[in-house]
Amino acid sequence: MDEVLLRSLTPSVIGVLVRRGADFAAAEDAVQEALVEALRTGSAAGRPRDPKGWLVTVAWRKFLDATRADAARRRREDRAAEEPAPGPAPAVDDTLRLYFLCAHPSLTPASAVALTLRAVGGLTTRQIAAAYLVPEATMAQRISRAKRTVSGVRLDRPGDVATVLRVLYLVFNEGYSGDVDLAAEAIRLTRQLAARIDHPEVAGLLALMLLHHARRAARTTPDGRLVPLAEQDRGRWDTALIAEGVGILQAALARDRLGEFQAQAAVAALHADAPTAGETDWVQIVEWYDELARLTDSPVVRLNRAVAVGEADGPRAGLAALAELDASLPRHSAVAAYLHERDGDIPTAARLYEEAAHRATDLAEREHLTRQAARLNTRLRRSR
């Protein structure tokens, strides 16, 4: 069915459900589920003669199903509350176990992180969609597919450590850079995992999180503007977190079982160790990016390596490394702009900053790149 038509009917259908006795939030959820079903089955079933009537019928059924399920859940909770309390028992936090179950072997990491955010993080589909900059219906379908995938299997096969680490890493990154703050929770769970599993990559991820989190207060201005690493006030970095992260990393590296998260943490530690941006050991950072590229073969790693090469060996060397990468890679234009500015090519840098701002999906990043372009354009006007 036509998604635009269906979404235009949403407010009136919600109104019908509310008049029938549903509260607004429940009505909104029911209509959203009906929309997902319409989009999933519409091409096969064809467009109904009365789209609004169809949507009302399906949404009302969804509402009744949810109401019955909620009533059944409440009855179970009431029965449980009436049972005599058991003897003393230590408090148990099952969140980490839920992460392992949501990272079921039958799910992809992308589906696992979406399902984890919904089922364990408690976020709404709308919040998750906004965090990932995708339509709500798209995220609802992604989560629904993940639920269907695990609905037919026994949840007695938890995901392996590597998958859980990837989910925790993505959750941390979402909390670190997005509107939804999950970074502290990701660190808490990774601490739990490190206490239970003696694995150098678990330690590497924990060190990476701590080292990045230590810089968080300096990453933005009070009005929300992004502050590049080289311009951050290092006096605002959390030295206790840095010391802890470096200590954990050194112990992990001493085991000589290098992995991706340890290598990333080593780069972060070198940044944290420099008293000023000008004293950063870029030569070592390039070496660690070489290790990361060997471990992951990631184009994003190679993009970051081009920046490091530009700092260690000069902007033209960085541009040469950048030329080997696909220009459509996210942030490629921003890196090219920075390196061209370092090389003195201001007109090209200004144009590339504008292009990078146009491509940026993060609002703070887009505003930062726009200011960079404006700064260089002002400089060009004054030089004429």
Side-chain angles (χ1 to χ4, degrees), residues 204-251:
L205 178 58
L206 179 57
L208 176 63
M209 288 179 175
L210 295 175
L211 290 165
H212 277 306
H213 208 58
R215 302 200 303 256
R216 187 169 190 179
R219 290 183 72 244
T220 56
T221 62
D223 60 357
R225 290 189 176 191
L226 191 66
V227 181
L229 177 60
E231 300 172 20
Q232 290 177 14
D233 177 2
R234 300 186 177 218
R236 299 184 65 196
W237 290 1
D238 189 326
T239 55
L241 283 183
I242 291 173
E244 182 183 6
V246 169
I248 292 170
L249 173 63
Q250 289 175 337

mmCIF file of all heavy atoms in Angstrom, residues 204-251:
data_model
loop_
_atom_site.group_PDB
_atom_site.id
_atom_site.type_symbol
_atom_site.label_atom_id
_atom_site.label_comp_id
_atom_site.label_asym_id
_atom_site.label_seq_id
_atom_site.Cartn_x
_atom_site.Cartn_y
_atom_site.Cartn_z
ATOM 1 N N GLY A 204 40.420 -4.816 26.115
ATOM 2 C CA GLY A 204 40.686 -3.781 25.119
ATOM 3 C C GLY A 204 39.491 -2.882 24.899
ATOM 4 O O GLY A 204 39.630 -1.652 24.790
ATOM 5 N N LEU A 205 38.282 -3.475 24.831
ATOM 6 C CA LEU A 205 37.082 -2.668 24.649
ATOM 7 C C LEU A 205 36.836 -1.779 25.856
ATOM 8 O O LEU A 205 36.479 -0.608 25.717
ATOM 9 C CB LEU A 205 35.867 -3.573 24.401
ATOM 10 C CG LEU A 205 34.535 -2.834 24.241
ATOM 11 C CD1 LEU A 205 34.584 -1.839 23.087
ATOM 12 C CD2 LEU A 205 33.389 -3.827 24.053
ATOM 13 N N LEU A 206 37.009 -2.323 27.060
ATOM 14 C CA LEU A 206 36.815 -1.515 28.258
ATOM 15 C C LEU A 206 37.794 -0.347 28.280
ATOM 16 O O LEU A 206 37.423 0.797 28.574
ATOM 17 C CB LEU A 206 36.981 -2.376 29.509
ATOM 18 C CG LEU A 206 36.838 -1.651 30.854
ATOM 19 C CD1 LEU A 206 35.480 -0.944 30.959
ATOM 20 C CD2 LEU A 206 37.024 -2.625 32.009
ATOM 21 N N ALA A 207 39.057 -0.600 27.944
ATOM 22 C CA ALA A 207 40.053 0.471 27.904
ATOM 23 C C ALA A 207 39.669 1.528 26.876
ATOM 24 O O ALA A 207 39.772 2.735 27.130
ATOM 25 C CB ALA A 207 41.427 -0.111 27.577
ATOM 26 N N LEU A 208 39.218 1.082 25.708
ATOM 27 C CA LEU A 208 38.808 2.020 24.648
ATOM 28 C C LEU A 208 37.661 2.907 25.120
ATOM 29 O O LEU A 208 37.681 4.133 24.928
ATOM 30 C CB LEU A 208 38.400 1.233 23.408
ATOM 31 C CG LEU A 208 37.855 2.042 22.228
ATOM 32 C CD1 LEU A 208 38.914 2.988 21.688
ATOM 33 C CD2 LEU A 208 37.344 1.100 21.137
ATOM 34 N N MET A 209 36.651 2.298 25.752
ATOM 35 C CA MET A 209 35.514 3.071 26.252
ATOM 36 C C MET A 209 35.964 4.109 27.284
ATOM 37 O O MET A 209 35.545 5.268 27.245
ATOM 38 C CB MET A 209 34.475 2.136 26.869
ATOM 39 C CG MET A 209 33.710 1.293 25.880
ATOM 40 S SD MET A 209 32.535 0.229 26.763
ATOM 41 C CE MET A 209 31.676 -0.546 25.386
ATOM 42 N N LEU A 210 36.798 3.681 28.232
ATOM 43 C CA LEU A 210 37.240 4.594 29.291
ATOM 44 C C LEU A 210 38.042 5.756 28.721
ATOM 45 O O LEU A 210 37.864 6.913 29.140
ATOM 46 C CB LEU A 210 38.071 3.828 30.321
ATOM 47 C CG LEU A 210 37.325 2.754 31.128
ATOM 48 C CD1 LEU A 210 38.303 1.993 32.007
ATOM 49 C CD2 LEU A 210 36.213 3.359 31.964
ATOM 50 N N LEU A 211 38.908 5.478 27.765
ATOM 51 C CA LEU A 211 39.749 6.532 27.191
ATOM 52 C C LEU A 211 38.920 7.525 26.383
ATOM 53 O O LEU A 211 39.170 8.736 26.423
ATOM 54 C CB LEU A 211 40.840 5.910 26.317
ATOM 55 C CG LEU A 211 41.927 5.156 27.097
ATOM 56 C CD1 LEU A 211 42.747 4.268 26.177
ATOM 57 C CD2 LEU A 211 42.836 6.144 27.831
ATOM 58 N N HIS A 212 37.926 7.038 25.665
ATOM 59 C CA HIS A 212 37.045 7.953 24.934
ATOM 60 C C HIS A 212 36.148 8.732 25.902
ATOM 61 O O HIS A 212 35.933 9.933 25.730
ATOM 62 C CB HIS A 212 36.181 7.177 23.942
ATOM 63 C CG HIS A 212 36.869 6.889 22.647
ATOM 64 N ND1 HIS A 212 37.453 7.870 21.885
ATOM 65 C CD2 HIS A 212 37.061 5.720 21.968
ATOM 66 C CE1 HIS A 212 37.977 7.337 20.795
ATOM 67 N NE2 HIS A 212 37.765 6.030 20.828
ATOM 68 N N HIS A 213 35.616 8.032 26.895
ATOM 69 C CA HIS A 213 34.710 8.682 27.852
ATOM 70 C C HIS A 213 35.439 9.762 28.650
ATOM 71 O O HIS A 213 34.831 10.751 29.068
ATOM 72 C CB HIS A 213 34.115 7.640 28.791
ATOM 73 C CG HIS A 213 32.772 8.005 29.324
ATOM 74 N ND1 HIS A 213 31.694 8.267 28.508
ATOM 75 C CD2 HIS A 213 32.312 8.160 30.598
ATOM 76 C CE1 HIS A 213 30.645 8.567 29.245
ATOM 77 N NE2 HIS A 213 30.986 8.516 30.511
ATOM 78 N N ALA A 214 36.727 9.579 28.856
ATOM 79 C CA ALA A 214 37.519 10.558 29.617
ATOM 80 C C ALA A 214 37.541 11.918 28.931
ATOM 81 O O ALA A 214 37.690 12.954 29.588
ATOM 82 C CB ALA A 214 38.948 10.041 29.786
ATOM 83 N N ARG A 215 37.369 11.951 27.612
ATOM 84 C CA ARG A 215 37.420 13.206 26.861
ATOM 85 C C ARG A 215 36.044 13.817 26.638
ATOM 86 O O ARG A 215 35.924 14.867 26.011
ATOM 87 C CB ARG A 215 38.074 12.967 25.492
ATOM 88 C CG ARG A 215 39.470 12.387 25.546
ATOM 89 C CD ARG A 215 40.221 12.621 24.242
ATOM 90 N NE ARG A 215 39.560 12.092 23.072
ATOM 91 C CZ ARG A 215 39.933 10.971 22.442
ATOM 92 N NH1 ARG A 215 40.945 10.261 22.911
ATOM 93 N NH2 ARG A 215 39.298 10.567 21.358
ATOM 94 N N ARG A 216 35.003 13.172 27.124
ATOM 95 C CA ARG A 216 33.656 13.563 26.735
ATOM 96 C C ARG A 216 33.314 15.003 27.115
ATOM 97 O O ARG A 216 32.696 15.726 26.340
ATOM 98 C CB ARG A 216 32.640 12.610 27.361
ATOM 99 C CG ARG A 216 31.237 12.868 26.841
ATOM 100 C CD ARG A 216 30.271 11.794 27.230
ATOM 101 N NE ARG A 216 29.012 11.969 26.520
ATOM 102 C CZ ARG A 216 27.979 11.163 26.639
ATOM 103 N NH1 ARG A 216 28.064 10.110 27.425
ATOM 104 N NH2 ARG A 216 26.875 11.385 25.972
ATOM 105 N N ALA A 217 33.714 15.441 28.294
ATOM 106 C CA ALA A 217 33.344 16.789 28.741
ATOM 107 C C ALA A 217 33.918 17.868 27.845
ATOM 108 O O ALA A 217 33.382 18.982 27.782
ATOM 109 C CB ALA A 217 33.817 17.001 30.182
ATOM 110 N N ALA A 218 35.017 17.560 27.152
ATOM 111 C CA ALA A 218 35.678 18.564 26.322
ATOM 112 C C ALA A 218 35.266 18.486 24.857
ATOM 113 O O ALA A 218 35.716 19.314 24.056
ATOM 114 C CB ALA A 218 37.201 18.389 26.421
ATOM 115 N N ARG A 219 34.411 17.537 24.507
ATOM 116 C CA ARG A 219 34.078 17.332 23.096
ATOM 117 C C ARG A 219 33.130 18.372 22.535
ATOM 118 O O ARG A 219 33.076 18.569 21.319
ATOM 119 C CB ARG A 219 33.453 15.944 22.887
ATOM 120 C CG ARG A 219 34.430 14.799 23.061
ATOM 121 C CD ARG A 219 33.764 13.475 22.773
ATOM 122 N NE ARG A 219 33.504 13.301 21.369
ATOM 123 C CZ ARG A 219 32.304 13.201 20.829
ATOM 124 N NH1 ARG A 219 31.220 13.298 21.585
ATOM 125 N NH2 ARG A 219 32.164 13.022 19.526
ATOM 126 N N THR A 220 32.351 19.021 23.387
ATOM 127 C CA THR A 220 31.390 20.026 22.911
ATOM 128 C C THR A 220 31.443 21.254 23.807
ATOM 129 O O THR A 220 31.845 21.185 24.971
ATOM 130 C CB THR A 220 29.954 19.465 22.916
ATOM 131 O OG1 THR A 220 29.633 18.993 24.236
ATOM 132 C CG2 THR A 220 29.800 18.319 21.926
ATOM 133 N N THR A 221 31.021 22.383 23.253
ATOM 134 C CA THR A 221 30.901 23.623 24.019
ATOM 135 C C THR A 221 29.574 23.604 24.766
ATOM 136 O O THR A 221 28.708 22.769 24.490
ATOM 137 C CB THR A 221 30.956 24.828 23.080
ATOM 138 O OG1 THR A 221 29.836 24.758 22.174
ATOM 139 C CG2 THR A 221 32.253 24.851 22.281
ATOM 140 N N PRO A 222 29.370 24.518 25.713
ATOM 141 C CA PRO A 222 28.090 24.543 26.439
ATOM 142 C C PRO A 222 26.865 24.672 25.536
ATOM 143 O O PRO A 222 25.779 24.207 25.893
ATOM 144 C CB PRO A 222 28.241 25.771 27.358
ATOM 145 C CG PRO A 222 29.717 25.866 27.601
ATOM 146 C CD PRO A 222 30.350 25.462 26.303
ATOM 147 N N ASP A 223 27.035 25.307 24.357
ATOM 148 C CA ASP A 223 25.886 25.447 23.453
ATOM 149 C C ASP A 223 25.800 24.301 22.443
ATOM 150 O O ASP A 223 25.026 24.362 21.482
ATOM 151 C CB ASP A 223 25.934 26.787 22.703
ATOM 152 C CG ASP A 223 27.185 26.940 21.843
ATOM 153 O OD1 ASP A 223 28.034 26.031 21.873
ATOM 154 O OD2 ASP A 223 27.300 27.966 21.158
ATOM 155 N N GLY A 224 26.590 23.227 22.651
ATOM 156 C CA GLY A 224 26.467 22.037 21.830
ATOM 157 C C GLY A 224 27.358 21.974 20.610
ATOM 158 O O GLY A 224 27.263 21.034 19.818
ATOM 159 N N ARG A 225 28.248 22.932 20.437
ATOM 160 C CA ARG A 225 29.136 22.906 19.276
ATOM 161 C C ARG A 225 30.223 21.850 19.435
ATOM 162 O O ARG A 225 30.766 21.665 20.523
ATOM 163 C CB ARG A 225 29.784 24.282 19.068
ATOM 164 C CG ARG A 225 28.815 25.355 18.598
ATOM 165 C CD ARG A 225 29.581 26.619 18.198
ATOM 166 N NE ARG A 225 28.706 27.635 17.661
ATOM 167 C CZ ARG A 225 29.136 28.742 17.053
ATOM 168 N NH1 ARG A 225 30.444 28.954 16.938
ATOM 169 N NH2 ARG A 225 28.278 29.613 16.578
ATOM 170 N N LEU A 226 30.545 21.190 18.322
ATOM 171 C CA LEU A 226 31.571 20.161 18.334
ATOM 172 C C LEU A 226 32.950 20.798 18.437
ATOM 173 O O LEU A 226 33.245 21.787 17.758
ATOM 174 C CB LEU A 226 31.482 19.343 17.046
ATOM 175 C CG LEU A 226 32.277 18.056 16.949
ATOM 176 C CD1 LEU A 226 31.759 17.031 17.948
ATOM 177 C CD2 LEU A 226 32.182 17.502 15.530
ATOM 178 N N VAL A 227 33.803 20.244 19.317
ATOM 179 C CA VAL A 227 35.176 20.736 19.471
ATOM 180 C C VAL A 227 36.124 19.657 18.958
ATOM 181 O O VAL A 227 36.174 18.560 19.526
ATOM 182 C CB VAL A 227 35.505 21.058 20.941
ATOM 183 C CG1 VAL A 227 36.935 21.592 21.055
ATOM 184 C CG2 VAL A 227 34.508 22.066 21.514
ATOM 185 N N PRO A 228 36.885 19.916 17.877
ATOM 186 C CA PRO A 228 37.823 18.908 17.365
ATOM 187 C C PRO A 228 38.852 18.521 18.431
ATOM 188 O O PRO A 228 39.166 19.312 19.325
ATOM 189 C CB PRO A 228 38.495 19.613 16.179
ATOM 190 C CG PRO A 228 37.551 20.714 15.786
ATOM 191 C CD PRO A 228 36.888 21.146 17.056
ATOM 192 N N LEU A 229 39.387 17.317 18.309
ATOM 193 C CA LEU A 229 40.337 16.807 19.290
ATOM 194 C C LEU A 229 41.507 17.762 19.509
ATOM 195 O O LEU A 229 41.916 18.020 20.647
ATOM 196 C CB LEU A 229 40.854 15.438 18.840
ATOM 197 C CG LEU A 229 41.920 14.768 19.712
ATOM 198 C CD1 LEU A 229 41.392 14.532 21.124
ATOM 199 C CD2 LEU A 229 42.360 13.454 19.081
ATOM 200 N N ALA A 230 42.047 18.320 18.434
ATOM 201 C CA ALA A 230 43.220 19.200 18.552
ATOM 202 C C ALA A 230 42.917 20.480 19.313
ATOM 203 O O ALA A 230 43.826 21.110 19.862
ATOM 204 C CB ALA A 230 43.751 19.538 17.163
ATOM 205 N N GLU A 231 41.640 20.872 19.375
ATOM 206 C CA GLU A 231 41.264 22.131 20.020
ATOM 207 C C GLU A 231 40.665 21.930 21.404
ATOM 208 O O GLU A 231 40.284 22.899 22.066
ATOM 209 C CB GLU A 231 40.267 22.886 19.136
ATOM 210 C CG GLU A 231 40.822 23.237 17.756
ATOM 211 C CD GLU A 231 39.755 23.810 16.834
ATOM 212 O OE1 GLU A 231 38.722 24.281 17.353
ATOM 213 O OE2 GLU A 231 39.945 23.790 15.601
ATOM 214 N N GLN A 232 40.554 20.692 21.861
ATOM 215 C CA GLN A 232 39.917 20.440 23.150
ATOM 216 C C GLN A 232 40.789 20.923 24.304
ATOM 217 O O GLN A 232 42.019 20.866 24.235
ATOM 218 C CB GLN A 232 39.616 18.945 23.300
ATOM 219 C CG GLN A 232 38.506 18.467 22.392
ATOM 220 C CD GLN A 232 38.253 16.976 22.488
ATOM 221 O OE1 GLN A 232 38.725 16.313 23.417
ATOM 222 N NE2 GLN A 232 37.521 16.430 21.531
ATOM 223 N N ASP A 233 40.122 21.368 25.362
ATOM 224 C CA ASP A 233 40.811 21.766 26.591
ATOM 225 C C ASP A 233 41.183 20.486 27.348
ATOM 226 O O ASP A 233 40.344 19.861 27.986
ATOM 227 C CB ASP A 233 39.879 22.648 27.428
ATOM 228 C CG ASP A 233 40.505 23.055 28.758
ATOM 229 O OD1 ASP A 233 41.673 22.682 29.021
ATOM 230 O OD2 ASP A 233 39.820 23.740 29.532
ATOM 231 N N ARG A 234 42.454 20.112 27.279
ATOM 232 C CA ARG A 234 42.882 18.846 27.873
ATOM 233 C C ARG A 234 42.831 18.866 29.395
ATOM 234 O O ARG A 234 42.872 17.808 30.029
ATOM 235 C CB ARG A 234 44.281 18.480 27.353
ATOM 236 C CG ARG A 234 44.266 18.328 25.848
ATOM 237 C CD ARG A 234 45.525 17.834 25.212
ATOM 238 N NE ARG A 234 45.257 17.698 23.770
ATOM 239 C CZ ARG A 234 45.721 16.722 22.997
ATOM 240 N NH1 ARG A 234 46.518 15.808 23.510
ATOM 241 N NH2 ARG A 234 45.410 16.677 21.714
ATOM 242 N N GLY A 235 42.709 20.056 29.966
ATOM 243 C CA GLY A 235 42.525 20.144 31.403
ATOM 244 C C GLY A 235 41.170 19.626 31.844
ATOM 245 O O GLY A 235 40.958 19.353 33.029
ATOM 246 N N ARG A 236 40.230 19.491 30.903
ATOM 247 C CA ARG A 236 38.900 18.974 31.224
ATOM 248 C C ARG A 236 38.816 17.459 31.043
ATOM 249 O O ARG A 236 37.779 16.864 31.336
ATOM 250 C CB ARG A 236 37.845 19.650 30.343
ATOM 251 C CG ARG A 236 37.764 21.164 30.530
ATOM 252 C CD ARG A 236 36.634 21.744 29.708
ATOM 253 N NE ARG A 236 35.338 21.249 30.179
ATOM 254 C CZ ARG A 236 34.207 21.331 29.487
ATOM 255 N NH1 ARG A 236 34.220 21.842 28.270
ATOM 256 N NH2 ARG A 236 33.072 20.880 29.985
ATOM 257 N N TRP A 237 39.876 16.839 30.550
ATOM 258 C CA TRP A 237 39.865 15.395 30.419
ATOM 259 C C TRP A 237 39.958 14.742 31.801
ATOM 260 O O TRP A 237 40.599 15.264 32.712
ATOM 261 C CB TRP A 237 41.044 14.932 29.566
ATOM 262 C CG TRP A 237 40.930 15.295 28.107
ATOM 263 C CD1 TRP A 237 39.922 15.982 27.509
ATOM 264 C CD2 TRP A 237 41.866 14.995 27.079
ATOM 265 N NE1 TRP A 237 40.156 16.125 26.171
ATOM 266 C CE2 TRP A 237 41.350 15.525 25.868
ATOM 267 C CE3 TRP A 237 43.092 14.324 27.045
ATOM 268 C CZ2 TRP A 237 42.025 15.415 24.646
ATOM 269 C CZ3 TRP A 237 43.754 14.198 25.836
ATOM 270 C CH2 TRP A 237 43.228 14.735 24.646
ATOM 271 N N ASP A 238 39.297 13.612 31.950
ATOM 272 C CA ASP A 238 39.255 12.896 33.232
ATOM 273 C C ASP A 238 40.527 12.038 33.355
ATOM 274 O O ASP A 238 40.621 10.959 32.764
ATOM 275 C CB ASP A 238 38.001 12.016 33.285
ATOM 276 C CG ASP A 238 37.767 11.401 34.650
ATOM 277 O OD1 ASP A 238 38.760 11.082 35.335
ATOM 278 O OD2 ASP A 238 36.597 11.226 35.030
ATOM 279 N N THR A 239 41.493 12.529 34.127
ATOM 280 C CA THR A 239 42.782 11.838 34.229
ATOM 281 C C THR A 239 42.669 10.485 34.934
ATOM 282 O O THR A 239 43.441 9.562 34.646
ATOM 283 C CB THR A 239 43.813 12.714 34.955
ATOM 284 O OG1 THR A 239 43.272 13.111 36.228
ATOM 285 C CG2 THR A 239 44.129 13.963 34.140
ATOM 286 N N ALA A 240 41.706 10.352 35.845
ATOM 287 C CA ALA A 240 41.534 9.063 36.533
ATOM 288 C C ALA A 240 41.075 7.992 35.552
ATOM 289 O O ALA A 240 41.572 6.850 35.570
ATOM 290 C CB ALA A 240 40.531 9.212 37.675
ATOM 291 N N LEU A 241 40.120 8.340 34.672
ATOM 292 C CA LEU A 241 39.662 7.383 33.665
ATOM 293 C C LEU A 241 40.782 7.043 32.685
ATOM 294 O O LEU A 241 40.925 5.900 32.253
ATOM 295 C CB LEU A 241 38.455 7.939 32.904
ATOM 296 C CG LEU A 241 37.099 7.909 33.599
ATOM 297 C CD1 LEU A 241 36.015 8.441 32.664
ATOM 298 C CD2 LEU A 241 36.742 6.501 34.067
ATOM 299 N N ILE A 242 41.575 8.062 32.328
ATOM 300 C CA ILE A 242 42.694 7.817 31.412
ATOM 301 C C ILE A 242 43.692 6.844 32.036
ATOM 302 O O ILE A 242 44.132 5.881 31.396
ATOM 303 C CB ILE A 242 43.391 9.136 31.037
ATOM 304 C CG1 ILE A 242 42.463 9.979 30.144
ATOM 305 C CG2 ILE A 242 44.721 8.879 30.330
ATOM 306 C CD1 ILE A 242 42.985 11.374 29.858
ATOM 307 N N ALA A 243 44.043 7.080 33.291
ATOM 308 C CA ALA A 243 45.004 6.200 33.971
ATOM 309 C C ALA A 243 44.461 4.776 34.059
ATOM 310 O O ALA A 243 45.200 3.800 33.837
ATOM 311 C CB ALA A 243 45.309 6.742 35.359
ATOM 312 N N GLU A 244 43.176 4.653 34.370
ATOM 313 C CA GLU A 244 42.585 3.311 34.456
ATOM 314 C C GLU A 244 42.590 2.636 33.085
ATOM 315 O O GLU A 244 42.957 1.462 32.962
ATOM 316 C CB GLU A 244 41.154 3.401 34.985
ATOM 317 C CG GLU A 244 40.499 2.030 35.142
ATOM 318 C CD GLU A 244 39.049 2.090 35.588
ATOM 319 O OE1 GLU A 244 38.491 3.216 35.667
ATOM 320 O OE2 GLU A 244 38.461 1.023 35.815
ATOM 321 N N GLY A 245 42.192 3.377 32.058
ATOM 322 C CA GLY A 245 42.151 2.805 30.722
ATOM 323 C C GLY A 245 43.528 2.371 30.236
ATOM 324 O O GLY A 245 43.682 1.287 29.653
ATOM 325 N N VAL A 246 44.540 3.200 30.478
ATOM 326 C CA VAL A 246 45.898 2.862 30.055
ATOM 327 C C VAL A 246 46.398 1.625 30.795
ATOM 328 O O VAL A 246 47.028 0.732 30.205
ATOM 329 C CB VAL A 246 46.845 4.059 30.271
ATOM 330 C CG1 VAL A 246 48.306 3.641 30.101
ATOM 331 C CG2 VAL A 246 46.511 5.192 29.301
ATOM 332 N N GLY A 247 46.125 1.546 32.089
ATOM 333 C CA GLY A 247 46.551 0.383 32.869
ATOM 334 C C GLY A 247 45.916 -0.906 32.360
ATOM 335 O O GLY A 247 46.587 -1.942 32.230
ATOM 336 N N ILE A 248 44.608 -0.862 32.068
ATOM 337 C CA ILE A 248 43.909 -2.039 31.549
ATOM 338 C C ILE A 248 44.483 -2.428 30.186
ATOM 339 O O ILE A 248 44.702 -3.612 29.891
ATOM 340 C CB ILE A 248 42.392 -1.758 31.450
ATOM 341 C CG1 ILE A 248 41.786 -1.619 32.861
ATOM 342 C CG2 ILE A 248 41.687 -2.853 30.670
ATOM 343 C CD1 ILE A 248 40.358 -1.116 32.858
ATOM 344 N N LEU A 249 44.735 -1.420 29.342
ATOM 345 C CA LEU A 249 45.269 -1.687 28.011
ATOM 346 C C LEU A 249 46.660 -2.327 28.075
ATOM 347 O O LEU A 249 46.950 -3.296 27.361
ATOM 348 C CB LEU A 249 45.324 -0.394 27.203
ATOM 349 C CG LEU A 249 46.019 -0.479 25.839
ATOM 350 C CD1 LEU A 249 45.264 -1.424 24.921
ATOM 351 C CD2 LEU A 249 46.152 0.897 25.217
ATOM 352 N N GLN A 250 47.526 -1.788 28.929
ATOM 353 C CA GLN A 250 48.888 -2.334 29.026
ATOM 354 C C GLN A 250 48.868 -3.793 29.450
ATOM 355 O O GLN A 250 49.633 -4.616 28.926
ATOM 356 C CB GLN A 250 49.712 -1.493 29.993
ATOM 357 C CG GLN A 250 50.062 -0.109 29.456
ATOM 358 C CD GLN A 250 50.767 0.757 30.483
ATOM 359 O OE1 GLN A 250 50.645 0.537 31.690
ATOM 360 N NE2 GLN A 250 51.493 1.767 30.014
ATOM 361 N N ALA A 251 47.979 -4.126 30.384
ATOM 362 C CA ALA A 251 47.881 -5.524 30.821
ATOM 363 C C ALA A 251 47.383 -6.420 29.693
ATOM 364 O O ALA A 251 47.843 -7.561 29.536
ATOM 365 C CB ALA A 251 46.952 -5.618 32.031
#
